[in-house]
Amino acid sequence: MLRPSPFTRLARQLRYNAALLKMRLRRSNHPTERAEWRIEEMQRVVHDFEAATGRKAAESCIVEVGFGARPERALAMSCFFGRVYAIDLALPVLGLGDIPRVFWRSGARRGVKSSVRHLFFDRTWWPAFHARLRALAPSYRPDKTKFIIGSAGDWDSWNTIPEVHAVFSHDVLEHIPVAELRSLLEIMRQRLSPDGVAMLSPCVFTGIIGGHDPNWYQYRVPTNESETAWAHLYDPEFVPVTYLNRLSRRAFRSMFEDAGFVTERDEAIWGDDFGRQHLTPANRAKLSGWDDYELFSNIVDFRLRPAAS
Ligand SMILES: C[S@@+](CC[C@H](N)C(=O)[O-])C[C@H]1O[C@@H](n2cnc3c(N)ncnc32)[C@H](O)[C@@H]1O
């Protein structure tokens, strides 16, 4: 296959960024609504954590892997968990004071991008988000969240973290190369307490949105034509716009189990038939190598416990 020219790659990247922006604008970006949504989400996480482990969140340590450009979850975790650590490759920009560190650690291009984003979008957004979280949860302590910059698959990133009772990660594992993911799972297995739990929800490659193709983002699934559905699984020309390890749902599960975890939950978060209308007889024929467990995977909520040793 011919390597795309720099111009094609740039055009593809610009289209991807425009689609990301469009998707973000479709979601509510209002800081008070985001804070309310995060609190509800974290209440579900805490409920799940306490039911699974019998531990109190307030006396436990949670690690978020891959907190993203806006670490809303990692901050909201501080309302409930005793200790919160959050690991990502990139520095978060929560205030103007963080910008010089972005230039220093990640270079001029990333620094300029973060500065523009902060000055034009996030500068007034964060104070409103913090205020709403504080009003909803007086126990909110954003300073409690310790950010660690580095790969979660690197032992050094975990050096300062005490015993871990929960690991949480959403929409991240599919972006980590397999060898690094193996290392992350080994670290998690060693650092998670015997009664601990890992709540991991990758966006699995074999699902209808698994190619991370802006034309097949979740919100487009109900209205799209079926012709190109799941094309990322059979089209040799398909090139993802972001790094993807292309692991299937079964491959994730067997990696988890090989690393010493028991799978307690394995559920597609939008149900077992998200996009079913696109599995036409013609598409079924093109996708004959994949069964429904894979094709309806999408974002999968895996809950793992350390196997008894
Ligand atoms: C698609 S974003 C998801 C962010 C956030 N979890 C969310 O749901 O919005 C993936 C994030 O994973 C981070 N990431 C990728 N590989 C990583 C690694 N090896 N260690 C830590 N974070 C990583 C990226 O920097 C990025 O912030």
Side-chain angles (χ1 to χ4, degrees):
M1 200 173 39
L2 278 180
R3 222 177 122 69
S5 69
F7 179 74
T8 310
R9 285 204 305 261
L10 178 66
R12 198 180 275 155
Q13 196 63 46
L14 288 174
R15 274 204 306 277
Y16 177 60
N17 285 342
L20 268 185
L21 183 65
K22 194 167 154 199
M23 186 180 74
R24 285 186 183 133
L25 292 175
R26 286 178 67 90
R27 290 190 201 143
S28 168
N29 189 36
H30 200 280
T32 57
E33 282 174 26
R34 301 285 299 181
E36 286 158 16
W37 182 42
R38 290 305 180 199
I39 285 284
E40 281 165 27
E41 183 186 34
M42 255 340 112
Q43 280 167 338
R44 287 194 297 272
V45 169
V46 168
H47 177 270
D48 255 22
F49 168 79
E50 293 188 339
T53 63
R55 299 183 58 90
K56 289 210 175 320
E59 294 161 11
S60 306
C61 172
I62 188 165
V63 177
E64 182 178 11
V65 169
F67 51 78
R70 255 197 200 156
E72 297 169 20
R73 287 193 186 92
L75 292 169
M77 283 171 182
S78 77
C79 302
F80 303 98
F81 284 88
R83 291 172 295 289
V84 182
Y85 292 83
I87 310 175
D88 200 294
L89 297 172
L91 270 166
V93 178
L94 301 176
L96 268 182
D98 295 324
I99 287 180
R101 281 199 300 153
V102 179
F103 275 94
W104 182 65
R105 285 196 67 134
S106 311
R109 193 168 147 192
R110 176 96 200 188
V112 170
K113 213 169 145 186
S114 299
S115 310
V116 170
R117 182 183 167 139
H118 188 74
L119 291 172
F120 290 101
F121 300 105
D122 289 357
R123 197 163 46 99
T124 53
W125 192 94
W126 278 116
F129 179 81
H130 293 309
R132 187 67 186 139
L133 270 190
R134 211 167 280 123
L136 291 167
S139 54
Y140 181 45
R141 296 280 177 280
D143 291 350
K144 204 197 287 177
T145 300
K146 305 290 176 220
F147 292 106
I148 295 168
I149 309 310
S151 169
D154 184 344
W155 281 96
D156 287 349
S157 302
W158 296 72
N159 275 345
T160 55
I161 306 181
E163 188 181 41
V164 178
H165 306 110
V167 176
F168 177 95
S169 182
H170 182 88
D171 203 2
V172 175
L173 301 193
E174 73 276 18
H175 298 290
I176 303 185
V178 169
E180 210 172 321
L181 181 56
R182 268 207 190 92
S183 164
L184 166 61
L185 293 171
E186 190 191 330
I187 297 171
M188 279 170 46
R189 181 65 184 86
Q190 298 220 11
R191 302 303 304 277
L192 206 55
S193 63
D195 61 352
V197 63
M199 295 171 269
L200 311 177
S201 41
C203 176
V204 177
F205 188 67
T206 50
I208 199 165
I209 63 165
H212 291 56
D213 176 350
N215 294 316
W216 280 96
Y217 279 165
Q218 176 210 354
Y219 71 91
R220 302 192 70 156
V221 172
T223 51
N224 267 359
E225 298 291 325
S226 300
E227 201 185 330
T228 59
W230 288 280
H232 58 284
L233 295 183
Y234 59 78
D235 179 359
E237 301 283 306
F238 171 75
V239 182
V241 280
T242 178
Y243 173 77
L244 296 176
N245 57 27
R246 299 180 182 237
L247 289 175
S248 67
R249 186 170 179 178
R250 278 190 184 81
F252 269 116
R253 196 165 162 158
S254 60
M255 276 184 82
F256 298 152
E257 292 171 5
D258 289 349
F261 289 98
V262 173
T263 308
E264 271 192 0
R265 183 187 289 163
D266 168 356
E267 286 172 10
I269 67 170
W270 300 314
D272 287 340
D273 60 357
F274 181 68
R276 167 85 60 185
Q277 69 277 24
H278 298 296
L279 199 51
T280 57
N283 280 342
R284 185 64 98 177
K286 289 187 253 180
L287 295 161
S288 59
W290 304 102
D291 59 12
D292 286 9
Y293 174 75
E294 294 292 349
L295 296 175
F296 299 114
S297 52
N298 302 304
I299 297 188
V300 178
D301 179 10
F302 286 108
R303 191 166 81 196
L304 313 176
R305 308 297 300 275
S309 41

